Amino acid sequence: MQELLNDKVTDVFSASMDDEPSDNEPLLVADDHGAWDDVEIAAAQLPAVTVQQLIQQNPDHVIQFIAKKGVVKLGEFKVQDSVMLAAMDGRPFVTMGSDYREIDFEHVWSAHLSKLAKRKSTDTGWSRQVSVEAFVVNIKNAAKPDVEGLVNPLLHRYNAGGCHYSVFGLPAVQAVLEFKWETFAGGWVRFEFMCFLTWLVAFSIFMLVFQDEDTSLSLAQLLVTPRGIITVVCECLALAAMLPFVVIELGSLQAYAGGWLSLWNALDVLTYSLQAGITALHLGRIHLESGWLSVLVAFQCVLLWFRLNYFSRVFGGSSSFSIIESMQRVVVDIRMYLLYLLMMMWGFACAYCVLFRRDQEHEQFSDVGHSMLTMFTYALGGVDLDIMLGSSNPEAAIVLSLLYQFAMGTVLMSLLTGVMAQSMYKATAHEDLKRLLSKAQAVDELESTIPSFIEKTMHKNYPAYVHVLRIDPLAMDDGATGGDGSNLWHQQEEASGQSGTPLGSQPMSMPSKGAAAGSGSGVAGGDVQALMSEVQSLRQQVQTLADLLHTAVPSLPPSPLSGRHSVSVYSDRDE
């Protein structure tokens, strides 16, 4: 029986994956609707396979199979939009677990929507029937934890550089992530956020109260004073709030082994170590007068705020923005330019140090180290001409200063601003896909921490199949139009002109030739404006797709639409 199933899986691969690109090529998903609209209605034609069977049968096209056959459409039915909107609660779709792939979707979903709608009543103004689409993730046990499911192997593949992060925007992966997030992961991450806020507030209070503490007091003497009680309670509370993060980090280290090591994980470990070290030094009254405790507390203040980057990414909406990760990508992108700036500053620092060797009263250039720091100051705030004029060689100092100010302050720093702006634009692209990646990482970290005996009791969180229900985008009465809504005004003008005869006119009189011509010109002008709005919307969509493609494959030739001065769609004759 198993051999027959494997043969069917191989046949499906051979029939559907011919001439498809490899998994290493990015599958850019621009939005939530476009990928779901391409889902096929073929639930009964594909055998039920697991992720491990996909990997074993054809490892070259696993992601392509997930993209093309990972989700199938079961059908459509009508439902009241008030019920559906209340069940969605701002999400793009609703998910549900089941032991069966093929279900009586209309009956099952209607009962499930009624339960979800009762939890949150939404005032929709009025209610109407809308078409909803029922899908199912066509991969058995896709919601399972660790290597049995879909999320963990994709994350391992991504961390190894074997796939693009856009795979987490594929419908099958989106559905599994949304199901896991709503069933248990979202609640756990919110609990983590509350622990982090407790940690942050407790440490901040400790930091403020600790400033005026008498370091000569012992721990017993410290606990007698109100200030001492506050500091000890706050740092113990901060240490306790940190423990869940340490447990999750240990679980991730065990699950990913060598793939765990990254800059942000290393900073997390440093944050945990600093917190433990601060508590040990303060409660143990060790080296309090040496200043090391103040240094550790200062660094901990900065590292704690870095951790907010994680929650801003996970909890952010479609416009979520991760400033820390974006800064990292910008620095990596312009690293050679920054190296050239540092070399330029080093050259001028050496020149100033040699030029001021007879003017040691100016500490700014007493050695190369001070000269380098002065170069950083001059690059941002300008040269101090008083120092140059007071040197033993003012002519050479003034010439060198003017050259540095022009090269660094006028040319190179201005170029740096433009280069960073371009890099920042690329770094902040595809934020919706990166948010899904962050959710996948958060979910997998939690599942790697949960013990296996607890996972066995969580049957509802790991069903055999994940079902999805969403509103048909064409059925939404949202009044959406392109651009700034100017097309709505043209539609109103046309409707007003055709709705009837104006007051005071003769109802049976025939319009003159000039009036008819003017009316026809107005209608034609409205049509042209509508067409121009549609064409502009299409141009923006094509430009977005071109930007996504060039971000993934920089070696491609530039798009003709990406130039600064684009060619008008309409000629002078058309206008």
Side-chain angles (χ1 to χ4, degrees), residues 170-191:
L170 296 176
V173 187
Q174 280 193 56
V176 173
L177 286 176
E178 184 67 25
F179 174 78
K180 288 176 174 287
W181 191 261
E182 291 302 320
T183 51
F184 71 96
W188 275 103
V189 173
R190 284 187 285 270
F191 171 74

Side-chain angles (χ1 to χ4, degrees), residues 188 191-192 195 239-249 272 449:
W188 275 103
F191 171 74
E192 288 183 38
C195 290
L239 191 66
M242 182 193 71
L243 292 180
F245 298 97
V246 176
V247 174
I248 293 175
E249 203 71 50
Y272 307 145
T449 307

Side-chain angles (χ1 to χ4, degrees), residues 470-521:
R470 72 159 190 168
I471 298 179
D472 184 0
L474 299 178
M476 289 299 295
D477 184 21
D478 54 3
T481 60
D484 57 357
S486 59
N487 191 37
L488 291 174
W489 290 95
H490 294 296
Q491 294 175 6
Q492 290 293 325
E493 292 175 0
E494 295 173 11
S496 300
Q498 299 172 5
S499 61
T501 306
L503 293 175
S505 62
Q506 297 296 329
M508 297 302 295
S509 63
M510 297 296 293
S512 64
K513 184 177 181 179
S519 176
S521 175

Side-chain angles (χ1 to χ4, degrees), residues 15 38 65 70 120 180 195 197-198 221 269 348 496 510 562:
D38 296 333
F65 183 89
K120 182 178 181 180
K180 288 176 174 287
C195 290
L197 287 182
T198 303
Q221 295 172 336
V269 173
F348 276 95
S496 300
M510 297 296 293
S562 61

Side-chain angles (χ1 to χ4, degrees), residues 206-218:
F206 163 77
M207 174 195 64
L208 296 175
V209 179
F210 164 74
Q211 301 297 321
D212 301 326
E213 183 180 289
D214 187 359
T215 57
S216 62
L217 297 178
S218 64

Side-chain angles (χ1 to χ4, degrees), residues 328-337 419 422-423 426:
Q328 179 189 10
R329 297 189 189 99
V330 169
V331 171
V332 172
D333 196 18
I334 63 173
R335 60 187 181 277
M336 297 307 299
Y337 192 89
V419 172
Q422 183 180 7
S423 300
K426 295 193 299 182

